Each structure stands twice: as structure tokens, then as C-alpha cells.
Amino acid sequence: MSDRQPTAAGAELPKALASPERFGVVVRPPHYAWDGEHFASDHLVAIERDSVAGLPGRIEVVVEGDFVAVVADSLTAAQDAARNLRLEWRTASGKGHDGSPAMVAETARELANEASSRALPPHRHDYGWPSRLRWGDIPGWVVADCSDHCLTLWVQTLTPEALSQDLMALTGLPAERITLYGASPARASGLGRHCGDDAAMDAALMSRHLGYPVAVWLDAAYDRDRRALGQAQRITLNANVAKSGEITDYHYHQEHASGNIAAVGLWLCGKAPGRRIMTDDRALFSPYAFRKAHHAERRDAQGADPHSEGLAEIQQAFARESFLDEVARDTGQDPLALRLRHLDDARGTELISSVSRRARWGEPPSPTITPPDRLHGRGFAYAQLPDRHQRIPEGVRSAWIADVEVNRVTGEVALTRLVVGQDAGPEVDTSRLQQTLQARVLGSARPLLGHTPAFDEWGDGSESSGSHGGALMETTTPPETGAGSTSLPMPLHEADLSPGVAVIANALFDATGVRFRQPPFTASRVRRALQDPGNPLQGADNGGPARRSGRRWLKVAALTAVASTAAMAWPWKGAIAPIQRPAANLYSAETIERGRLVAAAGDCAACHTAEGGRENAGGRAFETPFGTLYSTNLTPDEGTGIGRWSYAAFERAMRHGIGRDGRHLYPAFPYTAFAKISDADMQALYAYLMAQPAVSAEAPANALSFPFNMRPLLAGWNALYHDPRPFEPSPTQSDLYNRGAYLAEGLGHCSACHTPRNAMGAERRGEHALAGAMVDGWEAPPLNQLSRSPIPWSEAALYDYLRHGGSSLHGVASGPMAPVVAGLGELPEYDVRALAHYVAVQMGAPAGDSDAISAEASALLAAARSGPSDMEEGERLFEGACAACHLDTGTPSFSSAKTSLALNTNLYSEHPDNVIQSILSGTHAEHVPGVGNMPSFADSFSDSQVATLTAYLRARFAPDQAPWQDIASRVATIRQYNNNTPSPHP
Amino acid sequence: MTQTLTLTVNRQAHELAVAPDTPLLNVLRNDLALNGPKYGCGLGECGACSVLVDGMMARACVLPVSAVVGHEILTLEGLVIEGRLDPVQRAFIEAQAAQCGYCLNGMIISIRALLNHTPRPSMAQLRAALEYNLCRCGTHMEILEAAELAVTINAGESLEAPHE
Ligand code: FES
Ligand code: FES
């Protein structure tokens, strides 16, 4: 191992890195990928620099080979420029392959032939290792300063040596002229690189071209690089097993020396050093003795660096120990016994026996009652490591037994117990090792079971997830000095960890019946594998998880049956048998907490709580064109609520709109949107609702007109208008977008209000999606390209509106939107950002508000300073009732409207409804801190006064818009509607 | 639905069991017996109910009490510090600018809010600040005189001891 430490932790951070003034965003080619042998990407043909010339501020475009980036004065300016930059790419030509897969196939065939005469078929599995384990630990800045023949960087990296090598290849600078600040403690995981290295390379490329420091924002967007770089290592293992259970023939084939794949930027600019790969049959060390064994390895002709060697050891142990575990289970042997049978080494045998005794291997776990969302498993792995002088027989033996607990709903894995035996060297501090693995492998900065963003993941993984401490957290902004890592457990020698990956994979298999043949074992991967019966990741080629077959699996299947989904197979009608009400503590606290967030995002309580009633006890009235509907009781009361609903019944109602008793529910309940909810969220929601206090409350009978009171007709409605398929993330969109889409289209059910409905009450599709609609006597404005706000919305303004209840350039949330914003207050930051991003994309809105936007706003304010001269009556009403709060009197006021009416979206709408509604009902947002109230003027103004005032407001504050027609009749209709609907604010 | 809220009124914390959407004005007058702020229109139109929130003007009849939790509320009564009237109050007494006096709370609070922000306002600024404070007795000219006087007294005092 090299002890060279490129990290200058503790040293003073240069000012250039601490306060960068220029910000860069990369523009990657539409297609780029590492296919295991080569890097291929589209080629840049032309670049239209004019396309960003008109944007405000100084914008520079950096081009080197196929690497393209824009640099600007702020991140949002750079993002806008990146979005506007027009580029022409030529599709990559076909990529060449050499014979390696064929060779593997050959070995397999050979073995198959040999095996045909024997009892058992040959075993063959592939194990993979990703080029990047995850995009990073937490969102944060990466800053590079390349000047005066020196390169300094503020980075997040787990692999400083590999990064330095890439940077040397880029700049040609010697190692001592490259300084990395803020890098994680040396060899923080030894498990491979993350995209912090790619971001560092991007920043370095930009800074090298421009000669000044450039900051790049590292976040989940870099997950695209992780996906593009795919698999770095593939190890194929074949074995023949005799009837006796002995492994008679063992083939080990390793594709690469290690998985050290260069940073994306280096490939794109064409500076990645070529790899000369050669096949080598030198005997790779294996601790086991087989009757016939064959090892083949393809490796770097130049020889690999020590860092890669360490990684290779971990990869080898992972593949070998996973494979032996699979063989043992497939042949019905105890995994530990199989190892012992092939171990011709007294020291090793003794060690394994003692570890096994210590961990009570083979004894059934003590029968404790566990929540139904928990699975437990135990795994074993063994390794023999060379000593200091690379002498294997003298080396250290190391045997591990790990217990894991898997939350089936969230997919989170906790390492609950670890027994490690090591027969030489300093004694292993197991509790510290467990703590280290928990932090590194399972905690919030989990390198192995790390976070990859999934569309139904709550939070962005950057927050410490409660019980598992986030020991490796780094600050998001460049701090004064290097990373504060002093309180961490001592960094471990990489090779010490080599059985650590396999032992978790084996324990995971024992717990879940799913074989993970490639790390990381992220919560989302675990969850997906557990919930998808036709597992798309199945199969050896992609190294993804595969299910085990046989008896053991049946047991697990029976266990999962309550919670599994068979979305299309529900009987359309027919009651689902009632169950005993589940105990409130049946599900684990984490699952219930997740469910609480799901309920907040779905805002169940908004509809299922009557005025002044108990939360979720139902009874709220809904006026529909078809009659009056009442929401139902969602508390787990057995008589009047959902206490006797099984999960299957609950899920059917949520996805198909069919009650437990088999009756169709009316689509006022937005099951059309809820069908999109992921299984994990659905289960968590059920767990949460069942854990709430039961309230006995019978909902009033619906009062619908014929034929809408005929529930069976809804079956036809469903067939026509309901698509019960769960949400599918779009592979071409970012994770932020997919998360936003999932929330907006599913739980958030935005379209229930913002999409117009047809005569049958079904949401219209295509271009009508989110095109605006009327609801509860208010207009839900268009959220697509038809948005008609006085100045265009930006993503930042949408975020302010959704998070804080108002945007200074657009106004505040009111009407039915106020409780929605209040509900969003429960959601993590990332989710609200994702929603804003999704809506911004629908609207085609820019990321931030530019200077041009501010100028436009000032112009609108100036134009509205005085009203039209010919509307005296309106002017008088306005001056008397509105001006005190809606005009600026030069005195700072706490109670006045914060946004001028000249910027209010409602005044620019095609319909006067929201203006009329605001005057008649006022606006109320008690639950949104910082947003004020407007009183109702229903009792002080006649219909004709409201109409006059409305016309005046339009003329004064939206002077370039056509006057509204038919205001008077809208006023009468809305007043009538309000009188008939019990108002929450009398 | 009553809740227990803590309000800071005239430099004192009060724990109150109220419905969170009760207008602040009702709480001040009914629960805290502070009758300086008056009920005029209840719609934010007249200014009779004005109070200071964090030194800014606020119409207490349209503010739900939940919106001012965590903020500093000062009423007309709270302008008096250790028995000493605020310069604006003294100016109104000196100028004898009152008929029925119902609007004076709002006038005084509005001028105080303006002076907190603009210590030397012009006559035009004074007029703008009082534009939406209604006076049913037609005392406008006297009130404007008092306002000008308030500016002078206030400026003199801030030379000796800056006001807040
Ligand atoms: S009573 Fe508050 S403004 Fe009139
Ligand atoms: S003095 Fe009577 S209302 Fe102004």
C-alpha cells in the first residue's frame, strides 16, 4: 500500500477554493458509456456559441474534445446557460469487443461437457463491481484552481490516489504539484470510487482552460455518470460438484486487474491513458484446495497501482465467498461446512471453528416476535491475506459472521451483529469494526449499501437517517480546514475489509432470498428486488440480484404474501375478508415514520377530516357536478373505519378504487393518481394509518343524483379512464425530475385539481394534462406551458411558493392551495425541490430569476401605479377596501400584502374566478407561517360591487390583458356556490 | 379549537388559550384589556385597530393571532415607557388634534411606524402614511399639524437619547 497522502488535511484552505466566484456546469453528450472494455460517447460536431450569447452575465464555454461545460457567475446562471446551449452530436460508432465473453462461454461449455456424465449440473455465476459505487456522500461544492503550474482542489473523494492519477494524466503535472483538500480520510472505504472524482475532474478541466478557480456542484445529477460508467469488474466462477457435495472442478476467471475506471471528463477530453489488457494464467491465490482448479485473470500490462491491488483483493473475496455460499445453498450444504471441507490449513480450520462457536452458528435464532416488515439473516465469509511481505502462507486468516436486519418496506439494512476472528496481528476490535462498517457500509455515508437516489426515496440521503449515525459526513461548504475526521474510528487497512462485502451479501441472501451479485446493496435496490416478483435485475450478466429457488424461498414467499402485490390480478369485485385489527406496534417505527411522510405528501387529512372533526375520521362534504359526496373514516376503527382492512384490501382501494366490501369508490377519491404510489410507500402508509388512534365516526350517506348513484357503473368508468399501473421513472430524466414526477403524479395528485376533466369527470390527457381546471369554486391555474403569470415563473420561485407559501414575484398560496402548502411543510427539502423542478419542466421555466425578470417586474409595478381614469366607481371601492393593504404607503407594514397585485397570477388568468373568490372568501393560510390573511368582503359588497371592483382590478393591474366578460354572472354563481358549501372560514 | 399560544405584547409574554384564527384585535381588547386599539371596520380598511408588530404598522383586525406568535407587539399603551409618553403622543396632546378621538390610535401608530423607518419624513410622506387612516370627524388638518410637530419633537429627542 502506498502511504503517500495527497490530502493536505488540516492545512489552511487557500482562499481561492474557499470563496470561488465562477461556477461551472457540464453538458454531457446524449450518450456515453463504459461497456466494460471501452469508453464510447457521441462526438461533438458543432457548437452554437450564439445560443448563450444573449444571456445575462459573463458566460464562458469550455470545450475540449467531447467535454463541454459552461461557466457563469452563479450556479443558476450556469444551469440556464447549459440548458440553452445548442450543440450538435454525432452518434458513436459501433464499439469493438475482444474475445473475453466468448472465452468465458467456452469455459462454461467445457465444464458442461465434463459435467454431463456427473450427477449435478455445473454451477456458474458472474459477480460484478461497479465503476462508481454511488454519486457521492452528500450534495456539496467541488472547487478546482489550476494556475501557476499547480492544481489545488476542494473535493469529496474516497480514492485520492486514483483521483490524483487522473489529474496527473490531465495536466501532466507531477504529483507534488497537485493538492487535494477536504478529501475523506485515507482509504475511507477502499471499496472504489464515487462521482466526487468525476466532479473534481470536471472542475479541474474548466479551471485549466480558464485560469481561475471554478466551483462545480456535486449532487444526485452525477448519478448519470455512475450509470454511464456501469461495471468495472466482472468475475466468473464455475464449479462442478460431485454427488457427495465436494467441489471437484473450480474455475475462476477475472476480467480486469481492478475496477479503476478513469473520471468521465478525462475520457471525454481524450486524455484517459489507454489500458493494455493481457490475459494471465498465473495462479491467483485461493485459500481453498480443490481437486482441480483453474485461475485466469486479465490484467493491466503496465501493472496496477497499489490502490487497485487492494480493491482487487476485496473484489476477489467478494466473488469467491459469494460463490461458495451459493454452491453450498444450491447443494443443500451448510456454507461453513463446505468451506471447512476444502480448507487444507490447520490454522484456518481452527479459526473458523472458534468463530462459529462464538457466534453460535447453526443454532436457530431465539424466537422473538419481530415486526412483519423485518427480515433477519446471517452470513459467513472467509479470507486469507498476505502478510507485510506479500507471503501468503504466513498471512493473516480472517473469518467473519454477520447478522443483518432488513426493513422490507424501506429496503434499509442494518448490521446487527458481527463476529470476526483473525488469527494473527493485533486483536480485532469487533465492536469498533461493526461500528465502522455500520457507518461506512450501512450509515448515512454508506459506501456499500450507499444511497442511490430512487424516485420513491424520502429525503436525499444526505441527512443522517436517525438510528444509523452518519460518521463520515462532511460539510457541504468548504470549511476553514480539512475534513473533521478525528472522531472517526481508525481507518482500517483495506484488505481487512475484504470479507466484509461478501459477508453482508451472504447474510442478505439468508434474510431475503435475493442474491446480490454486485455491490452496492442500496436500500432502493434491496427494496426493488424484494418487491418485484418478476425481478428485472435477475440474471447473471448484469451482476444484479437473483432469487434463490427451493424450499427456503417458499417459506419467505408465504411470509411476504400479505404485503406482495399482484396489481392486475385483483378480482374486480368481491369482498376481501376482514381481518383482526393489526396491533399499532406491528410495524417498526421507521416504517411508520415513512408512512407519516407519505400521508403528508398525499395530504389525506385535507379531505378526510371534517370541519372541526378528528383527523382522518372522514365526513367532509364534496360538492361535485354529480351530487354530494362525503369522505370516509381512515382511522383504524373496526366498525366505521379501516380497522378490519387487510393490506390487500387497502391497496386495492388505493390503486383500483374498490372498497374492502367490493363496492366501487367514487373517483373524487383520487385513486387514479394513487395507483402510481410505489409498493414501499403504500405499505408504509398502511402501517402509519393502522398505528393511529381509532375514531368511531360514521360518514353521512352520499347524496348523488341518478345514474351517478349506481356504483357498478364505475367499473365501466375505470375501464375507460383508469390506468392502474404504478409509476415508472423515466430513464432519460434526472432523478430529481423522476422524484418530482412521482410525487406530483402520484401522492401529490396535482392533476386532480390542475387537469381539466371531461364530461364523465375523468382527467383529460395529453396536452390537457395540468392545463388548469376549476375546483371548489377556485381556478387551479395551468401548470404547463399555458401558464399565464404576469412574469414567467422560475424554478426558484416555484420552490419558494411551495416551501414558504408565497413567492415575492407571484403572490401567495390561497384557497385550496393553502392547506396543500401547509402539508408540504412536513416534507424533506429535497422533495419540495423535486416538485418545483418537475413543475418548472412542465412550464418550461428557467432555474432562477434573471435580472431581466426583475426589470420586467419593476416595469409592471410602474405601469400599475395609477388606474384607468374612466372607472371611478371601481377606483372608489379599491381605495376604500383594498388600497390600505395592497398599495405601498411608504410605511413598513406587517399586515399588508407582500406582493403587488401587478404581479399576481390570478389577475392574468383567462378566468376572473380566483379574483372574485378572493374578494368573497378572503384568503386564509393560518397554517403557513409568514403568510397573512385577507378578510372576506362577502358581507360588505353587493354582487355588482364585486363585479365592478373585479373589472377595475383587471384594468389596473393587468392593463395589457383583455377585460373579462360575464363577470357579474360569475360573481353570482360563485356566491351561490359558497353559500351552499359550508365554508371553513365563516 | 383553542390552543395555548404565547404572545409578546408591550414587552411582556402572555400565555393565552385562544383559537389560532382569532383576530389579534379581539385578543388584545378582550383577553388583555388593551383598549388603545379600536374596532372600526374589521376589514383592514380604516386603521383604527393599528398596532406595531416588530416596529412595523399592522392592522390587528385582519391578523390571525397565530401569525404574530414570536413577534414583538406594541400597542398604544406600550408606547409609554416608565410613565413617559412617546413624542408622537405628546405632539397630539400639544396640538389638541382630536374631535372624538376614535381614529387617533391608528394615526399615532402609523406615524410611529413611519418615523421608525423614515426619521425625517416630508409632508408628502406624512400624507401618504396617513392616507388610508380614516377619520369620520374631519380632523385631518389638525392631525397633519400634530404629525409635523411629532416629527420635530421626535428629532429633538433622538438627538439627546435615540428612541429605541
Ligand atoms: S378596524 Fe382594523 S382597519 Fe378598521
Ligand atoms: S377624530 Fe373622530 S374619527 Fe378621527
Side-chain angles (χ1 to χ4, degrees):
Chain A
M1 294 304 117
S2 150
D3 285 318
R4 190 173 59 81
Q5 202 11 314
T7 311
E12 184 100 351
L13 186 67
K15 202 162 160 284
L17 295 187
S19 50
E21 278 160 11
R22 299 283 286 168
F23 302 85
V25 169
V26 289
V27 185
R28 299 273 195 241
H31 302 285
Y32 63 102
W34 170 256
D35 68 357
E37 290 288 320
H38 309 93
F39 183 88
S41 81
D42 294 346
H43 294 299
L44 184 63
V45 182
I47 179 160
E48 246 181 80
R49 284 172 196 268
D50 286 354
S51 54
V52 292
L55 297 176
R58 182 161 63 103
I59 293 181
E60 281 158 305
V61 180
V62 175
V63 180
E64 182 169 350
D66 298 321
F67 177 87
V68 182
V70 282
V71 179
D73 291 328
S74 71
L75 183 63
T76 44
Q79 281 167 341
D80 277 341
R83 230 175 275 186
N84 277 302
L85 186 64
R86 272 205 293 279
L87 301 164
E88 197 183 314
W89 299 93
R90 183 160 41 80
T91 321
S93 50
K95 48 220 157 176
H97 268 292
D98 57 23
S100 66
M103 179 180 154
V104 174
E106 196 128 303
T107 319
R109 222 170 301 125
E110 227 169 75
L111 278 168
N113 289 339
E114 253 178 73
S116 55
S117 56
R118 291 167 210 262
L120 291 164
H123 299 261
R124 181 197 158 196
H125 293 298
D126 282 3
Y127 301 89
W129 202 272
S131 305
R132 299 287 182 268
L133 280 158
R134 59 193 190 284
W135 62 260
D137 287 336
I138 46 168
W141 291 109
V142 170
V143 192
D145 180 16
C146 189
S147 51
D148 299 334
H149 304 289
C150 279
L151 175 62
T152 49
L153 287 112
W154 168 263
V155 290
Q156 286 184 29
T157 180
L158 296 171
T159 45
E161 290 100 340
L163 176 59
S164 298
Q165 257 171 18
D166 282 0
L167 292 170
M168 277 155 39
L170 171 74
T171 57
L173 291 171
E176 59 277 11
R177 292 195 158 267
I178 297 177
T179 318
L180 306 184
Y181 293 89
S184 299
R187 291 182 286 280
S189 81
L191 301 175
R193 310 180 75 167
H194 71 39
C195 297
D197 289 7
D198 300 294
M201 177 58 64
D202 292 341
L205 263 158
M206 292 182 228
S207 177
R208 201 165 86 91
H209 270 257
L210 300 169
Y212 54 71
V214 176
V216 167
W217 181 248
L218 169 67
D219 69 3
Y222 270 92
D223 206 51
R224 184 164 175 223
D225 282 358
R226 181 190 64 78
R227 287 194 299 261
L229 290 182
Q231 206 176 42
Q233 174 67 286
R234 200 166 72 151
I235 297 175
T236 306
L237 280 147
N238 291 274
N240 282 329
V241 181
K243 262 206 184 98
S244 64
E246 187 198 353
I247 296 177
T248 51
D249 207 335
Y250 176 86
H251 280 227
Y252 174 101
H253 178 90
Q254 180 179 323
E255 286 285 317
H256 304 295
S258 80
N260 198 358
I261 308 298
V264 172
L266 199 61
W267 291 111
L268 288 174
C269 75
K271 290 217 163 102
R275 302 211 304 178
R276 281 208 299 122
I277 307 278
M278 53 187 246
T279 305
D280 184 5
D281 283 8
R282 98 189 145 121
L284 257 182
F285 176 74
S286 153
Y288 306 105
F290 302 106
R291 233 190 277 169
K292 254 171 87 182
H294 176 82
H295 291 91
E297 174 195 33
R298 282 158 37 84
R299 59 191 185 92
D300 235 321
Q302 282 95 350
D305 62 293
H307 160 71
S308 308
E309 296 269 10
L311 181 56
E313 271 164 25
I314 297 179
Q315 294 169 346
Q316 287 157 13
F318 168 64
R320 186 189 65 231
E321 293 300 309
S322 296
F323 181 70
L324 289 175
D325 202 67
E326 288 200 65
V327 170
R329 294 187 192 253
D330 289 349
T331 56
Q333 303 185 65
D334 178 78
L336 207 141
L338 178 70
R339 259 82 155 207
L340 286 173
R341 156 178 220 164
H342 291 284
L343 200 61
D344 183 19
D345 171 30
R347 275 170 65 187
T349 309
E350 168 57 33
L351 177 71
I352 292 180
S353 314
S354 89
V355 166
S356 137
R357 274 195 307 277
R358 172 95 183 276
R360 296 176 189 281
W361 178 268
E363 289 177 28
S366 53
T368 48
I369 299 152
T370 50
D373 54 343
R374 293 306 175 94
L375 299 168
H376 291 102
R378 165 172 277 205
F380 172 80
Y382 177 73
Q384 186 174 344
L385 313 162
D387 73 357
R388 236 171 238 297
H389 311 288
Q390 300 291 315
R391 282 182 311 221
I392 302 253
E394 278 81 45
V396 177
R397 280 87 171 148
S398 166
W400 296 40
I401 292 176
D403 288 358
V404 295
E405 182 181 88
V406 183
N407 184 320
R408 208 170 50 201
V409 173
T410 63
E412 257 165 71
V413 181
L415 182 55
T416 51
R417 182 160 182 244
L418 187 64
V419 176
V420 175
Q422 199 150 295
D423 77 334
E427 193 162 326
V428 183
D429 181 344
T430 323
S431 68
R432 184 146 88 182
L433 193 58
Q434 180 177 350
Q435 194 188 329
T436 310
L437 279 176
Q438 184 69 58
R440 292 183 185 170
V441 179
L442 302 153
S444 61
R446 316 156 248 184
L448 185 60
L449 296 149
H451 174 82
T452 42
F455 68 87
D456 65 342
E457 192 121 336
W458 293 87
D460 64 356
S462 62
E463 295 149 46
S464 150
S465 58
S467 52
H468 320 312
L472 269 192
M473 293 287 280
E474 286 179 342
T475 42
T476 25
T477 46
E480 308 301 297
T481 58
S485 58
T486 41
S487 60
L488 286 181
M490 285 275 289
L492 296 161
H493 187 286
E494 281 162 50
D496 288 345
L497 285 170
S498 69
V501 186
V503 82
I504 294 176
N506 293 343
L508 262 175
F509 177 81
D510 189 48
T512 64
V514 180
R515 173 61 65 178
F516 290 87
R517 298 202 180 99
Q518 174 168 316
F521 316 131
T522 57
S524 56
R525 281 185 76 208
V526 171
R527 202 166 62 226
R528 245 180 311 161
L530 285 173
Q531 285 166 347
D532 190 358
N535 191 344
L537 295 170
Q538 186 151 7
D541 280 349
N542 59 9
R547 281 172 186 276
R548 81 176 130 194
S549 52
R551 200 180 49 80
R552 169 69 196 255
W553 168 232
L554 286 179
K555 199 174 92 200
V556 175
L559 214 106
T560 343
V562 185
S564 81
T565 58
M568 299 307 295
W570 297 123
W572 277 105
K573 289 175 193 170
I576 294 183
I579 54 158
Q580 201 75 18
R581 180 182 159 195
N585 61 357
L586 183 67
Y587 287 90
S588 64
E590 290 139 55
T591 304
I592 293 173
E593 167 60 15
R594 181 188 176 116
R596 190 181 67 81
L597 292 174
V598 175
D603 215 353
C604 313
C607 290
H608 285 275
T609 308
E611 244 353 276
R614 300 276 300 275
E615 179 156 310
N616 284 335
R620 202 185 137 165
F622 288 84
E623 295 293 333
T624 74
F626 316 113
T628 306
L629 292 170
Y630 293 90
S631 61
T632 51
N633 184 347
L634 287 190
T635 70
D637 183 59
E638 283 161 67
T640 60
I642 58 167
R644 308 198 67 193
W645 288 44
S646 63
Y647 174 71
F650 177 76
E651 195 199 5
R652 185 176 72 170
M654 290 291 287
R655 293 197 197 280
H656 300 276
I658 298 172
R660 191 196 61 73
D661 58 4
R663 290 200 300 169
H664 283 276
L665 305 172
Y666 288 99
F669 166 58
Y671 60 85
T672 45
F674 293 159
K676 304 266 174 286
I677 296 174
S678 75
D679 293 325
D681 283 348
M682 194 70 87
Q683 292 182 34
L685 179 61
Y686 178 74
Y688 168 75
L689 289 174
M690 285 306 188
Q692 301 312 303
V695 177
S696 174
E698 193 75 63
N702 292 330
L704 290 185
S705 53
F706 181 83
F708 302 108
N709 52 356
M710 303 296 288
R711 283 178 186 258
L713 286 182
L714 286 163
W717 191 97
N718 279 341
L720 280 173
Y721 301 120
H722 181 41
D723 171 8
R725 280 173 304 177
F727 177 78
E728 276 295 327
S730 158
T732 58
Q733 294 282 8
S734 71
D735 295 302
L736 189 67
Y737 178 91
N738 278 325
R739 174 68 181 160
Y742 172 68
L743 287 171
E745 292 170 13
L747 277 168
H749 57 283
C750 305
S751 67
C753 291
H754 288 274
T755 295
R757 290 173 188 260
N758 64 16
M760 289 303 293
E763 287 169 20
R764 300 173 68 185
R765 296 182 188 163
E767 55 177 353
H768 297 292
L770 300 179
M774 293 294 167
V775 62
D776 275 3
W778 290 79
E779 182 198 10
L783 299 184
N784 59 10
Q785 311 269 356
L786 300 174
S787 168
R788 293 170 56 100
S789 57
I791 60 168
W793 283 87
S794 68
E795 190 170 327
L798 285 164
Y799 170 79
D800 278 346
Y801 180 90
L802 292 170
R803 175 97 286 183
H804 305 300
S807 143
S808 57
L809 293 179
H810 298 276
V812 297
S814 56
M817 195 60 198
V820 173
V821 171
L824 292 179
E826 294 286 322
L827 291 198
E829 181 77 8
Y830 181 81
D831 288 346
V832 180
R833 287 212 181 278
L835 269 177
H837 179 66
Y838 171 79
V839 177
V841 171
Q842 307 309 311
M843 285 185 174
D849 293 316
S850 60
D851 294 347
I853 294 276
S854 313
E856 212 179 304
S858 323
L860 287 174
L861 292 180
R865 212 158 278 153
S866 60
S869 49
D870 55 344
M871 300 178 86
E872 227 176 283
E873 161 90 2
E875 167 121 31
R876 213 153 30 76
L877 291 168
F878 178 79
E879 285 289 314
C882 322
C885 292
H886 283 284
L887 286 189
D888 183 11
T889 62
T891 310
S893 166
F894 185 84
S895 53
S896 290
K898 305 287 180 287
T899 305
S900 166
L901 290 171
L903 300 178
N904 191 302
T905 304
N906 292 330
L907 283 156
Y908 278 72
S909 168
E910 268 179 84
H911 311 283
D913 294 50
N914 283 4
V915 174
I916 297 170
Q917 197 49 291
S918 303
I919 297 171
L920 288 177
S921 311
T923 67
H924 305 271
E926 288 92 26
H927 306 293
V928 189
V931 173
N933 273 12
M934 167 171 155
S936 148
F937 289 85
D939 298 334
S940 13
F941 287 155
S942 68
D943 282 5
S944 88
Q945 284 174 314
V946 174
T948 308
L949 179 57
T950 303
Y952 174 81
L953 292 171
R954 172 79 157 186
R956 175 159 178 184
F957 295 104
D960 57 338
Q961 302 287 310
W964 283 314
Q965 306 301 319
D966 271 346
I967 299 180
S969 73
R970 287 310 296 157
V971 174
T973 314
I974 293 173
R975 194 192 282 274
Q976 176 90 33
Y977 175 92
N978 289 354
N979 289 346
N980 291 342
T981 314
S983 152
H985 300 281
Chain B
M1 230 191 335
T2 29
Q3 278 178 15
T4 308
L5 303 178
T6 306
L7 288 195
T8 311
V9 182
N10 298 337
R11 300 171 283 276
Q12 248 195 329
H14 299 269
E15 275 213 353
L16 297 162
V18 288
D21 54 356
T22 317
L24 172 63
L25 179 64
N26 300 18
V27 174
L28 293 175
R29 292 180 58 92
N30 301 347
D31 298 60
L32 299 178
L34 293 168
N35 294 322
K38 300 286 184 284
Y39 184 93
C41 60
L43 292 170
E45 295 176 358
C46 71
C49 61
S50 298
V51 298
L52 294 171
V53 177
D54 296 340
M56 291 182 273
M57 197 274 288
R59 304 209 154 177
C61 66
V62 291
L63 271 183
V65 62
S66 59
V68 289
V69 171
H71 296 271
E72 298 273 341
I73 303 156
L74 273 189
T75 68
L76 191 67
E77 291 87 343
L79 292 186
V80 184
I81 296 176
E82 286 166 8
R84 191 171 159 77
L85 296 182
D86 188 271
V88 185
Q89 291 170 311
R90 272 180 273 144
F92 271 78
I93 294 172
E94 206 156 303
Q96 284 296 296
Q99 284 295 322
C100 78
Y102 204 77
C103 66
L104 291 198
N105 170 68
M107 300 290 177
I108 292 170
I109 294 287
S110 298
I111 297 168
R112 182 71 263 161
L114 176 67
L115 293 179
N116 287 349
H117 176 250
T118 314
R120 297 289 196 135
S122 66
M123 192 60 192
Q125 284 174 310
L126 281 172
R127 279 172 176 273
L130 298 179
E131 187 174 356
Y132 298 108
N133 284 313
L134 305 188
C135 169
R136 59 183 172 181
C137 303
T139 322
H140 302 84
M141 299 324 288
E142 289 77 3
I143 289 173
L144 281 174
E145 270 168 37
E148 277 194 295
L149 186 56
V151 175
T152 318
I153 302 180
N154 190 58
E157 299 233 324
S158 16
L159 281 184
E160 305 156 19
H163 185 88
E164 307 212 67

